[in-house]
Amino acid sequence: MNDLLTAYEVLLAVYKEGAYCNLELNKRVLGASNRAIVTRLVYGVLQKDVELEYYIGKMTAKRPSKTVAVLLKLGMYTLKYIDSIPRYAAVDNLVAICEKYGKRQLKGFVNSTLKNFDVAKIQMPAEPREKLSVETSTPLWLVKAYCKQYGYDKTKEFLSVGEFTKEHIRPNLKKWSLSQLKDCLDGEKIDYTESGVGGLFVNNSAFIKSLNASGKITFQSMTSMLAAQAMDVKDGENILDMCSAPGGKSVYMSQLADVNITACDIHEHRLELIKSYIARMGVDKINAVDCDGTEINEDFVGKFDRTLCDVPCSGLGVVGKKADIYLNASMEKCLELSQVQYKILQNASKYTKRRIVYSTCTTLREENYNVVGKFVKQNQEWQVVSSKQYLPDGNGCDGFFIAVLERKINE
């Protein structure tokens, strides 16, 4: 019961209190007898939330309270996806948890619902988009938005990609090259696959972690590297990174050319993340500054050659890495974010002489093409020279958007 109880308490904090699953899991998992199974249970339930909600709707006449609904989700996920826990033990332990949390009168309901679910053959919805929503555990509003934007077939393709578990690393270019890193991994008999952007896909291990801790490598997604590369920084330039934390793109740009970088964020703890990243990687000429990207900073006007706007976004493109993203996502919130994104881009244009790179880790045009399109329409001295929407491919590519804007040259 210990592992199921720990998983339940983490999930209850996430669903009822809005806790971040990774922080809550790290706080509670130390007391678990099997950390791996607790982690799998927590992330599994969150990843399958839409599917589990559908099952609850089919197996109950009335929507149960959140406390009991979370218990049923954990039970249904365990019964369907976890073979290492005996089915009878899973049901018995979840019924005991029901009593522990003061729902003694509902023990019979939980017991019968889970046992009925275990033998039921639940039919999927007939309507294609509703079926895709349940099968991929993606909110229906988002499936509909994707189908409108990409078409049904493309939407099904990228929502159905398998889980990718390898990590993407790159060398600290101040210390060694990609070929030297590969030679090191070969010597340790560690398998890797080149990503094609200057990094490698590897299975995480104690040795990989030690390289990261020593600053010889860093974990950085391939799309994050592509955003930094799109800046095309040149020696001697002044660079602004408007939404920098934890600092990976600033550090990488500082290794691509001899530049001066101002790395901004608005919270002290996030600025500390940038400073820590800088220290670990041993780079210089990066100044971490407290600055709100949505407010004009007169000291920045006309000061920078290039600006990176990796703006706050819904994160829908990295839901595979952050299982709780869908819980609080909505089109309304995406549209609210688009207003923030536009303000940041608008301010960046006042600071920047040459090039702006606008990027997000999301997959909706409302936060991507629409923001950039509105900007160039209202600021005709700027033009889009390239833009690309990356979609999750199950091979290490996240959902990501990169647009390169340049100030027009007066002829």
Side-chain angles (χ1 to χ4, degrees), residues 135-331:
E135 289 180 338
T136 63
S137 211
T138 305
L140 182 58
W141 68 267
L142 186 54
V143 170
K144 290 179 177 179
Y146 282 156
C147 287
K148 183 178 180 180
Q149 181 173 337
Y150 299 107
Y152 177 83
D153 290 341
K154 188 67 176 178
T155 298
K156 183 177 181 179
E157 177 185 332
F158 76 80
L159 287 181
S160 303
V161 297
E163 184 180 5
F164 188 79
T165 58
K166 293 183 182 295
E167 299 281 359
H168 190 258
I169 62 172
R170 69 167 183 84
N172 183 341
L173 297 175
K174 296 290 187 181
K175 296 185 176 182
W176 56 350
S177 66
L178 180 63
S179 63
Q180 289 174 312
L181 171 58
K182 289 161 61 179
D183 289 342
C184 173
L185 297 182
D186 287 337
E188 295 291 329
K189 293 183 170 48
I190 294 175
D191 292 332
Y192 59 82
T193 303
E194 291 196 52
S195 63
V197 301
L200 306 172
F201 289 114
V202 297
N203 289 316
N204 207 348
S205 66
F207 183 73
I208 295 296
K209 290 177 182 177
S210 71
L211 290 180
N212 181 68
S214 67
K216 299 191 76 172
I217 67 163
T218 193
F219 295 99
Q220 188 166 19
S221 71
M222 60 179 290
T223 44
S224 174
M225 290 179 65
L226 286 169
Q229 291 170 12
M231 286 282 284
D232 193 27
V233 292
K234 308 295 184 186
D235 289 350
E237 290 184 328
N238 291 317
I239 307 299
L240 177 62
D241 186 352
M242 288 189 69
C243 311
S244 182
K249 297 180 187 68
S250 280
V251 167
Y252 184 36
M253 287 188 289
S254 77
Q255 298 179 345
L256 295 175
D258 183 14
V259 291
N260 300 296
I261 299 177
T262 299
C264 299
D265 221 285
I266 59 174
H267 299 295
E268 183 60 33
H269 74 280
R270 293 179 65 80
L271 290 173
E272 290 303 317
L273 290 175
I274 300 172
K275 294 173 184 176
S276 176
Y277 205 130
I278 292 169
R280 179 171 63 83
M281 298 294 281
V283 296
D284 54 13
K285 296 187 178 181
I286 301 178
N287 184 29
V289 175
D290 182 355
C291 181
D292 183 349
T294 65
E295 301 291 336
I296 193 71
N297 185 330
E298 296 296 340
D299 293 336
F300 285 1
V301 174
K303 181 179 178 181
F304 299 96
D305 296 292
R306 301 167 194 262
T307 295
L308 175 61
C309 297
D310 187 49
V311 294
C313 70
S314 59
L316 297 172
V318 292
V319 70
K321 299 176 181 177
K322 299 181 180 180
D324 50 354
I325 281 178
Y326 283 159
L327 295 186
N328 300 304
S330 68
M331 180 58 78

Side-chain angles (χ1 to χ4, degrees), residues 49-120:
D49 180 73
V50 173
E51 177 186 340
L52 298 171
E53 280 283 352
Y54 179 76
Y55 294 154
I56 288 175
K58 290 295 183 180
M59 298 303 300
T60 61
K62 182 181 178 182
R63 170 74 186 179
S65 69
K66 189 167 287 188
T67 301
V68 175
V70 173
L71 195 63
L72 292 177
K73 287 180 183 180
L74 177 58
M76 291 174 175
Y77 180 83
T78 303
L79 291 170
K80 183 167 183 179
Y81 293 105
I82 304 294
D83 295 329
S84 59
I85 300 177
R87 312 178 87 73
Y88 71 88
V91 174
D92 288 349
N93 286 331
L94 289 162
V95 170
I97 292 172
C98 183
E99 182 173 14
K100 176 180 172 63
Y101 271 79
K103 303 294 183 180
R104 186 173 185 178
Q105 72 278 14
L106 294 175
K107 286 171 56 180
F109 168 76
V110 170
N111 183 65
S112 62
T113 301
L114 291 177
K115 286 183 175 178
N116 289 338
F117 170 77
D118 196 27
V119 298

